[in-house]
Amino acid sequence: MQEFNQEFDHKMKKTLEVVAGDFASVRAGRANAAVLDKIAVDYYGTPTPINQVASISSPDPRSLMIQPWDASLLKAIEKAIQTSELGINPQNDGKVIRLLFPQLTEERRKELTKQVKKYAEGGKVAVRNIRRDAMEKLKAAEKKGDMTEDDRKDCEKELQDMTDKYCKELDEMSAKKEKELMAV
């Protein structure tokens, strides 16, 4: 019973980590290397994350500097950033690529807030799906005779508590990110 709940607790924690990564990729008006995490560059025929082919630094709060380890990748990195949903035009000076993050407009802040809510809701759906799968396994175990009805009900209560805890945590993460986005 205990290892059963640990398995699903682990799955719910992984979901939380994925959503946290999604939140980090939403730019909040200041430079953050995490916005580049989902952008892959064509590196000798293999899609590779930018942070694996270049060093990324933030010389000031509103800009990122990308310095590829292989100078021939400059054009490919520039193209990958332009075709991404980042919405920033890279500046290539032949040695490094600079990304200048403009101040967010009120309209863009609201769009990003909606995106954050969508990520949080997706995380909650994933947590609930994990709970549903766990409930099905519990019922199957009871039918097989591996567990009593009382044990199943205890496990279901623990699962529901876990689900509530992770959904609340997702709400808190979402509220924090929204507050960060709406701060001028």
Side-chain angles (χ1 to χ4, degrees):
M1 212 168 52
Q2 187 66 27
E3 65 278 348
F4 179 83
N5 282 340
Q6 286 176 337
E7 172 191 350
F8 290 100
D9 185 51
H10 177 72
K11 287 182 179 181
M12 289 181 187
K13 279 182 185 166
K14 287 300 268 181
T15 300
L16 223 61
E17 290 172 16
V18 168
V19 173
D22 289 341
F23 284 176
S25 70
V26 175
R27 64 183 183 95
R30 56 184 159 272
N32 180 355
V35 299
L36 301 173
D37 286 351
K38 292 186 177 181
I39 301 175
V41 63
D42 185 30
Y43 184 59
Y44 296 106
T46 307
T48 309
I50 290 177
N51 62 3
Q52 292 182 16
V53 295
S55 64
I56 303 168
S57 61
S58 183
D60 60 70
R62 294 239 175 261
S63 67
L64 284 178
M65 190 168 67
I66 304 165
Q67 186 164 19
W69 296 310
D70 180 354
S72 65
L73 281 175
L74 271 171
K75 288 282 186 209
I77 292 172
E78 184 178 19
K79 183 179 177 209
I81 292 170
Q82 286 173 334
T83 58
S84 73
E85 296 177 5
L86 194 57
I88 293 178
N89 208 15
Q91 297 174 350
N92 182 348
D93 70 2
K95 294 185 186 212
V96 296
I97 293 175
R98 294 181 199 286
L99 298 176
L100 301 175
F101 290 80
Q103 187 75 7
L104 292 176
T105 63
E106 187 69 23
E107 183 180 322
R108 183 69 178 139
R109 287 176 197 276
K110 287 179 180 172
E111 282 176 31
L112 292 173
T113 301
K114 285 180 187 172
Q115 189 177 7
V116 165
K117 286 179 181 175
K118 190 173 98 180
Y119 287 150
E121 192 54 42
K124 286 185 198 176
V125 168
V127 166
R128 290 186 202 116
N129 286 341
I130 292 167
R131 177 193 60 197
R132 185 196 64 225
D133 294 345
M135 296 282 197
E136 288 172 6
K137 282 188 176 183
L138 285 171
K139 288 175 184 166
E142 183 188 0
K143 278 185 182 167
K144 260 177 36 180
D146 293 344
M147 114 183 339
T148 66
E149 183 180 350
D150 288 342
D151 287 343
R152 178 184 58 86
K153 287 184 178 182
D154 289 345
C155 276
E156 284 179 352
K157 185 183 179 335
E158 283 183 45
L159 263 172
Q160 187 58 49
D161 292 345
M162 236 189 294
T163 303
D164 294 343
K165 177 182 106 178
Y166 285 110
C167 284
K168 184 175 186 255
E169 210 167 314
L170 282 165
D171 284 337
E172 289 169 359
M173 287 168 52
S174 174
K176 181 181 174 193
K177 186 66 177 184
E178 288 173 34
K179 183 179 176 190
E180 181 183 325
L181 285 168
M182 296 311 282
V184 179

